[in-house]
Amino acid sequence: MSRAERLLELIQILRRHRRPVTAATLAQKLNISVRTVYRDIASLQAQGADIEGEAGIGFILKPGLTLPPLNLGSNEIEALMLGAHWVVNNADPELQGAARNVIAKVSAVLPAELRQELESSSLLTGPSRVTDQHHRYLADIRAAIRIEQKVQLQYRDIHDQSSERIIWPFAIGFFEQSRVIIGWCELRQDIRHFRTDRISSLIRLNSRYPKSRMSLFKEWRHTYQVPERLFDQ
């Protein structure tokens, strides 16, 4: 691996982590010495990469970094396109449009041989088994999650009993036959899961919830014993 390739791979590793990564961990992943990691971090910082941290604590890449386009290999392109096509077939209209834009943008900058390989890909995704009712409120929920905003639901439970809930949404699960909002329920004073096809109305409230989205996410992961590796690799 050349030094340029190593620096790009270092950036990619930092991008995949939401918390500081120690120099020892980076050194192990890149098969280099810890001293070389410190030199590489300093080089990236000098080139404008917004990397924070220090020895003994770890390093984190702050959001918003802009780098020149990376060269993608065939497997990476196929992985990206397979995910985008899954979104086109399985998500709500707003995300479908975003995924189509991603496909068009990636295709536009690929070399001719890779573009031809992409267009003739044999990796396919099937149509969704969920109905439009599952997608009806997803755009509003995603917007509320981004700004940590409370929402009011009229919700039918498994016994078809309707109730009004005010929740603090912090995640959405996309499953084969359902879409599930994960949020803190003020009525139950606990984290609950809400199927989107059981929501009859939804209103975004003009108030933010008091806890951070990430703290709620960590609480949910701890309570339900969700492996950390599913979200931070």
Side-chain angles (χ1 to χ4, degrees):
M1 181 186 297
S2 69
R3 184 169 185 270
E5 291 173 329
R6 189 176 74 238
L7 291 177
L8 289 175
E9 180 61 22
L10 176 56
I11 286 288
Q12 293 298 87
I13 293 171
L14 291 173
R15 275 179 172 160
R16 292 195 294 267
H17 287 77
R18 299 174 182 174
R19 292 177 294 279
V21 189
T22 65
T25 298
L26 293 170
Q28 182 179 20
K29 289 179 178 291
L30 293 167
N31 197 28
I32 57 177
S33 68
V34 170
R35 180 176 296 181
T36 301
V37 169
Y38 291 142
R39 286 201 300 264
D40 287 351
I41 292 288
S43 295
L44 289 170
Q45 289 171 329
Q47 294 173 34
D50 198 356
I51 300 173
E52 292 185 347
E54 57 186 84
I57 296 177
F59 299 93
I60 188 167
L61 179 65
K62 296 185 68 176
L65 174 69
T66 300
L67 289 176
L70 302 180
N71 290 324
L72 300 176
S74 297
N75 287 337
E76 292 169 325
I77 292 171
E78 285 190 334
L80 179 62
M81 290 299 101
L82 183 62
H85 282 294
W86 186 93
V87 173
V88 169
N89 283 319
N90 292 275
D92 59 276
E94 187 175 275
L95 276 186
Q96 288 176 355
R100 290 190 181 97
N101 287 341
V102 169
I103 293 170
K105 289 177 180 179
V106 172
S107 299
V109 299
L110 287 177
E113 64 275 10
L114 288 179
R115 188 182 307 115
Q116 182 177 359
E117 185 175 327
L118 172 64
E119 292 172 351
S120 61
S121 175
S122 57
L123 302 183
L124 308 175
T125 62
S128 174
R129 297 180 62 181
V130 299
T131 65
D132 290 343
Q133 180 66 22
H134 293 80
H135 294 150
R136 185 176 176 186
Y137 298 107
L138 285 185
D140 280 331
I141 288 294
R142 287 200 310 276
I145 289 174
R146 291 188 196 108
I147 61 174
E148 300 179 347
Q149 182 182 37
K150 293 183 181 183
V151 299
Q152 179 179 304
L153 309 176
Q154 198 67 33
Y155 188 74
R156 293 179 295 101
D157 64 18
I158 192 172
H159 303 295
D160 205 33
Q161 298 297 310
S162 181
S163 62
E164 184 177 282
R165 309 289 186 98
I166 294 178
I167 69 168
W168 312 346
F170 59 86
I172 302 173
F174 287 76
F175 300 97
E176 183 179 0
Q177 298 184 44
S178 64
R179 304 292 180 258
V180 177
I181 302 167
I182 309 171
W184 176 271
C185 176
E186 292 190 356
L187 178 66
R188 304 303 185 196
Q189 286 295 294
D190 200 358
I191 292 174
R192 289 289 189 267
H193 302 84
F194 302 89
R195 283 180 46 154
T196 54
D197 59 324
R198 292 179 180 164
I199 298 173
S200 56
S201 69
L202 182 146
I203 301 172
R204 291 170 58 188
L205 303 177
N206 292 323
S207 58
R208 297 185 62 178
Y209 45 77
K211 292 187 178 181
S212 72
R213 175 170 56 89
M214 287 309 299
S215 67
L216 289 167
F217 189 85
K218 289 177 181 178
E219 183 179 342
W220 168 77
R221 192 169 62 190
H222 174 74
T223 301
Y224 290 88
Q225 299 183 337
V226 181
E228 184 174 339
R229 64 179 178 273
L230 294 179
F231 306 98
D232 195 358
Q233 298 180 358

